[in-house]
Amino acid sequence: MNANIRVVIAEDDVQIAEIQKRFLTRIEGFELVGIAHGLDEARDLVDVLKPELLLLDVHFPQGNGLELLRHIRSEDNSTDVILITAARETDTLRAALRGGIFDYILKPLVFERLKDALNNYATHLKKLHAMESLVQVDVDQFIPSSNNTTTIQPTLHLPKGIDILTLGKVIEVVIETKEPLNAEDVGKQINASRTTARRYLEYLVSRGDLIAEVSYGSVGRPERRYLPPSR
């Protein structure tokens, strides 16, 4: 039996698919079994090869990756899905969560982020395979408690203090605003404190999704302002 986790990449951009392929070859325990540049091709690869994992984009020239995600679930296919996408809309994230994705990675793809996601997935599979029967403590590792007020899905592996919906709101605010924003600006727009907003902004900086610029106010006090790297 092949010990490696078999992976299919579904990405319409040939260069980005090649980057994902090269990243994947550097991560132990995973084997690339197919690359698809369109949704029909991706559906065929998943249906025939039945890989353990699909790295899936959302936006394709013809169709949407969420359609393939729904197809996989409707066919009771055991393939798990990690979305790697530039889609920053919270509605897309919610739809992806409803479809049972394992992780949601925003482009531009960073090697360490992909490595963390894949290693987390490998650990997840090992835990499932090691279980012969379930007790409640096992279930609680995979399904959030009904008494837990957080919106974090456990498979997203976000740091403590970062929840996925608030993160989506912060991303949306920064992307849609034309000027660099400080933590207070963002906090007002998401109805959160400056401290909370700064925590999320600095997390996005650590992931490479934002950059922070230091500016000086009228009294000379430096402050950090945040904006996407492309600006």
Side-chain angles (χ1 to χ4, degrees):
M1 182 177 176
N2 192 342
N4 287 334
I5 295 171
R6 297 171 306 125
V7 181
V8 165
I9 292 172
E11 166 62 59
D12 68 291
D13 189 300
V14 175
Q15 291 183 333
I16 294 177
E18 179 63 24
I19 290 172
Q20 292 184 19
K21 174 185 175 181
R22 294 187 183 191
F23 282 177
L24 194 63
T25 60
R26 294 165 56 188
I27 303 172
E28 186 177 354
F30 292 85
E31 176 189 1
L32 180 63
V33 295
I35 297 178
H37 299 302
L39 287 176
D40 290 340
E41 183 185 3
R43 183 180 294 108
D44 289 341
L45 288 177
V46 170
D47 288 345
V48 174
L49 299 178
K50 293 182 168 42
E52 284 82 16
L53 184 62
L54 172 65
L55 303 183
L56 176 64
D57 194 6
V58 171
H59 298 304
F60 286 81
Q62 296 179 338
N64 188 293
L66 295 177
E67 298 169 4
L68 178 55
L69 177 62
R70 287 190 285 269
H71 167 78
I72 291 171
R73 296 296 168 251
S74 68
E75 294 294 316
D76 198 26
N77 191 309
S78 61
T79 297
D80 289 307
V81 176
I82 291 177
L83 286 185
I84 301 178
T85 177
R88 298 173 181 270
E89 303 85 2
T90 54
D91 286 345
T92 301
L93 174 61
R94 291 190 183 100
L97 291 174
R98 288 194 296 270
I101 60 165
F102 184 83
D103 206 340
Y104 193 105
I105 302 176
L106 291 171
K107 293 178 180 178
L109 180 63
V110 178
F111 172 73
E112 290 299 330
R113 180 66 177 86
L114 178 63
K115 182 180 178 181
D116 287 346
L118 294 185
N119 287 338
N120 286 334
Y121 179 70
T123 300
H124 169 83
L125 282 190
K126 287 178 182 178
K127 288 179 180 179
L128 282 178
H129 292 161
M131 292 178 186
E132 296 182 359
S133 61
L134 292 173
V135 295
Q136 189 62 54
V137 68
D138 296 326
V139 176
D140 291 344
Q141 294 182 45
F142 300 99
I143 301 176
S145 167
S146 59
N147 294 324
N148 189 352
T149 58
T150 182
T151 57
I152 296 175
Q153 296 291 324
T155 55
L156 289 176
H157 303 287
L158 291 170
K160 184 177 180 180
I162 302 292
D163 82 73
I164 194 67
L165 292 182
T166 303
L167 184 63
K169 292 179 182 178
V170 172
I171 291 171
E172 186 176 4
V173 166
V174 175
I175 293 299
E176 291 184 354
T177 304
K178 303 302 181 182
E179 301 295 330
L181 298 173
N182 60 26
E184 185 173 0
D185 296 330
V186 175
K188 288 178 180 178
Q189 295 195 51
I190 66 170
N191 294 318
S193 68
R194 179 176 58 183
T195 301
T196 295
R198 183 184 296 114
R199 181 168 67 248
Y200 283 83
L201 291 164
E202 291 296 337
Y203 170 66
L204 290 169
V205 170
S206 72
R207 290 197 336 186
D209 294 309
L210 295 180
I211 59 174
E213 296 179 343
V214 177
S215 63
Y216 293 85
S218 58
V219 295
R221 176 184 296 178
E223 66 174 4
R224 288 167 70 82
R225 290 184 172 271
Y226 304 86
L227 69 162
S230 59
R231 280 190 194 163

